[in-house]
Amino acid sequence: MTTAPTARESSVGTAHTRVEGRDKVTGAARYAGEVPFAGLAHGWLALSTIARGRILSVETAGALAMPGVLTVLHHGNAPRLDTDYIGLLGVPPDPTCAVFQHDRVPHLGWPVALVVAGTPEQAREAAEALVVCYEEEPHDIAFTGEHPDAYPVDGHVPAVTGKGDLEAELAASDAVVDAEYTTPEEHHNPMEPHAATARWEDGRLEVVDSNQGATWVAGDLAKLFSLDPASVRVRSEHVGGGFGSKGIRAHQVAAVMASTALRRPVRVVMTRRQMFSLAGYRSPTVQRIRLGADAGGRLRALEHRSVSLTSTVFEFVEPSASVARVMYDAAAHHTANRVVRLDVPTPTWMRAPGEAPGSFALESALDELAEKCGIDPIELRARNEPERGPVSGLPFSGRGLLACFREGARRFGWADRDPRPGLRREGRWLLGTGTAAASFPAGAAPSTAAVTAEADGTFTVRISAADIGTGARTALTLVAADALGTRPDRVRVRIGDSDFGPAMIAGGSMGTRSWAWAVTAAADELRERLTPGTPVPPEGVTVRSDTTEAIGALARKERHSFGAQFAEVAVDVTTGEVRVRRMLGVFAPGRIVNPLTARGQFVGGMVWGISMALHEEAVRDPASGGHYGADLAGYHVATHADVPHVEADWIEDPDPDDPVGIKGIGEIGIVGAAAAVANAVWHATGVRHRSLPIRPDRVLLAGAPGT
Ligand code: MOS
């Protein structure tokens, strides 16, 4: 034993491998689809094969006669659910999760039945043999920016903002950009598919699930099934990725229905293909940007309008125009998010909802303006740094954008860049570099935590946090160790259990910050409670915290993380292939709790930005209303060979209003990344690509110098 140091070094800020890492790589960590239960039955979802219409009949007799089949649930025999409530996120539930409530079919891949059997194979075979008769109606899945039915929706942000005379300022501008940008339908594809097992035990419903918030899912299940919230427990210990897709969904509800009907545990797992219609996705966007600037590049006019789509059963808006409300000001400043309802599944949050597609359009347009003004793109941004929130008028709690650009430019070697496009060639490759800005809101939400001093001198933290692969469990271990004045190996952090009380979800880049706040508050109070020299009783000493009041007292400010993205690309003029050669992101993201996992978060977001720029695109067949190739063969994501040297780093940027200094890092890595790649493709080829992904056929069609 070494002697304990008297003044303890901070654990926050030091690299720490995942506390559950060994369990994960050895397979000891069990995921929701593999936790064993005695008497487990397996449900298989049957999905609609039409894109719009009515179910005439579900002919169950044949399926029920098949080996091992226990029951078939559908709208004709399923229990009624209560969907008339406002959920944790302040909106009513998406009726998509309330399965088997009526005979309407609003999109292809809508759940029409659950076949339950003794094995997954038996359930699958019967589900595939199930005969469902439909009355089909004509469907409309055609998404365009000019759709006549597009309308503004106030989502979690207002739909429309505006000040100043746009046309007058544009007319008085020396340089004008007026361009339309499009992004395609994109899917989360977390590595672990959605999976839930439901069972009743001692009068309580227990659901073992893979989600981004155990109390979120538990709360919705209690409401849907009209149960006492105290009688519902959701556990979600290990989660193989979520990215916004893992909330309350059809599989948990179907599993609870079946478990209730059969009085035994029932598991429902989504297939990769089913996830394309049941797990949510990012809406395609059509965005129009108009910028007007004086000869020095200072913006006089900024308009950012976005149209996205949603289903006919729920309003979800991809708020792509909102990023302009934070980034740049102008005398005339107008933004609008509109939505059109089509016969498609409901989209949902996907990593940096709004900011990811919005930054592609806005940061591409800024690059076009820099070209028109003959000003370096970084200098253009420096000349347009707002003093206050362009729309809110509020001061920024911190705005590290230019510091990120300075550090990024130095490390990337930006000063040597010749701004002229289409000049650098290496064999058949044209080379170019590009940059773009990034931002993402930094917030915190009320959470509760319990910290226990154990009799053996260790500590246990209990919080209904979710570690969806981010390293949140490890981050909270470091935070708790510092707050308790002890070493991380003396702290056990237990998460992913709704019985630990309400807490923020792993979402909005707000999870770790919100949970760390609650853990710190409980640990601080526990330290005051413990008397040095007095032994801890056998049952331990537990202190609970609730940060509702503390977070409510935060002064109103513009709170964001910022970043600067840099990319170098090579474009093959003979095949149209774009390869990213290197990428650098420098962020002002608040205090970094664990550099090891934080870097993973940033790099992961940037890799996704490469994927968004060059690969990802879900395409629907107008005839069926469903996808071509709803799988990872048809839907391309960047893999190892597509990903070059990606570097992420950060500058000192602690949030003075946060007990730990955290802002949040989950989403900003993808923001601006696709624009940096697209701007580099322009620099390489002299051709602007305003539609993602920048596929080889698009590069070839657009032409390039030397082709
Ligand atoms: Mo994130 S898209 O809030 O999971």
Side-chain angles (χ1 to χ4, degrees), residues 430-504:
L430 289 171
L431 308 180
T433 53
T435 189
S439 74
F440 198 80
S447 295
T448 62
V451 181
T452 301
E454 308 286 358
D456 65 0
T458 65
F459 298 89
T460 305
V461 174
R462 289 178 178 83
I463 183 163
S464 181
D467 190 331
I468 59 175
T470 59
R473 187 190 269 103
T474 310
L476 294 178
T477 305
L478 304 183
V479 166
D482 278 8
L484 292 162
T486 188
R487 297 195 312 260
D489 64 3
R490 301 186 78 76
V491 178
R492 209 168 13 256
V493 174
R494 297 189 48 200
I495 63 170
D497 187 337
S498 63
D499 275 2
F500 296 158
M504 177 56 187

Side-chain angles (χ1 to χ4, degrees), residues 114-125:
L114 182 81
V115 177
V116 190
T119 70
E121 293 81 2
Q122 290 168 334
R124 177 179 196 165
E125 188 164 11

Side-chain angles (χ1 to χ4, degrees), residues 188 212 242-245 349-353 440 468 505-509 667:
H188 312 74
Q212 295 177 231
F243 310 116
S245 74
W349 303 281
M350 185 165 129
R351 202 172 198 170
F440 198 80
I468 59 175
I505 64 167
S509 296
E667 297 171 81

Side-chain angles (χ1 to χ4, degrees), residues 82-253:
D82 179 6
T83 54
D84 187 19
Y85 66 90
I86 299 297
L88 178 78
L89 305 177
V91 290
D94 179 348
T96 303
C97 68
V99 292
F100 318 141
Q101 297 299 292
H102 53 74
D103 61 359
R104 298 289 316 167
V105 174
H107 62 76
L108 193 98
W110 175 260
V112 295
L114 182 81
V115 177
V116 190
T119 70
E121 293 81 2
Q122 290 168 334
R124 177 179 196 165
E125 188 164 11
E128 285 170 358
L130 190 70
V131 176
V132 181
C133 300
Y134 302 96
E135 180 179 81
E136 198 169 355
E137 296 166 13
H139 58 261
D140 178 8
I141 62 146
F143 176 66
T144 69
E146 291 84 44
H147 202 289
D149 298 338
Y151 62 99
V153 179
D154 293 318
H156 57 286
V157 290
V160 179
T161 68
K163 67 177 179 188
D165 185 337
L166 193 67
E167 302 305 332
E169 292 294 336
L170 284 168
S173 292
D174 296 297
V176 170
V177 171
D178 180 349
E180 187 176 277
Y181 303 85
T182 69
T183 62
E185 177 179 328
E186 296 160 350
H187 287 254
H188 312 74
N189 278 309
M191 204 180 292
E192 179 207 19
H194 297 54
T197 306
R199 64 167 178 168
W200 286 91
E201 206 175 60
D202 304 327
R204 285 190 92 199
L205 173 66
E206 185 190 47
V207 179
V208 175
D209 186 34
S210 176
N211 65 50
Q212 295 177 231
T215 46
W216 175 19
V217 172
D220 274 74
L221 289 175
K223 293 263 177 39
L224 287 164
F225 288 91
S226 305
L227 298 168
D228 173 5
S231 70
V232 180
R233 180 184 190 187
V234 173
R235 292 195 289 133
S236 179
E237 199 185 348
H238 298 291
V239 182
F243 310 116
S245 74
K246 282 185 177 162
I248 178 82
R249 299 224 159 256
H251 66 299
Q252 298 123 333
V253 178

Side-chain angles (χ1 to χ4, degrees), residues 323-345:
V323 68
R325 300 172 186 176
V326 173
M327 292 307 296
Y328 310 108
D329 204 355
H333 189 290
H334 292 255
T335 68
N337 293 307
R338 292 183 307 144
V339 71
V340 54
R341 300 188 95 141
L342 295 169
D343 300 314
V344 293

